[in-house]
Amino acid sequence: MYESLQENQGFIDDAKARGLDVLVYHDRIKGFMLLAGHPGSIQVLGDILKDYEVLIETHRGAQ
């Protein structure tokens, strides 16, 4: 992500103007990531990230 809210909004607006979807993901190590892509790809990536989060939480619970 960019340092300023204005830059982040510009990224989102540009992506939307090109027909792309945007995904914001918070990684515990790297911080926030702002991603843009084809709507179908962003949906698949979102689903993968949800599964990843469930796996991490399950692993933490087992320790």
Side-chain angles (χ1 to χ4, degrees):
M1 289 187 68
Y2 296 100
E3 293 297 317
S4 77
L5 182 62
Q6 197 170 25
E7 288 177 300
N8 289 325
Q9 190 60 54
F11 178 89
I12 293 167
D13 292 343
D14 181 57
K16 298 276 183 188
R18 293 184 289 142
L20 303 175
D21 276 356
V22 176
L23 175 75
V24 178
Y25 178 71
H26 181 249
D27 180 77
R28 292 177 185 96
I29 296 169
K30 297 194 183 245
F32 284 94
M33 291 183 265
L34 188 57
L35 308 157
H38 183 272
S41 297
I42 292 296
Q43 177 65 45
V44 169
L45 179 57
D47 291 344
I48 290 168
L49 290 171
K50 285 177 193 171
D51 289 346
Y52 169 75
E53 290 294 327
V54 168
L55 179 65
I56 294 293
E57 290 304 316
T58 302
H59 184 293
R60 282 190 184 153
Q63 292 181 339

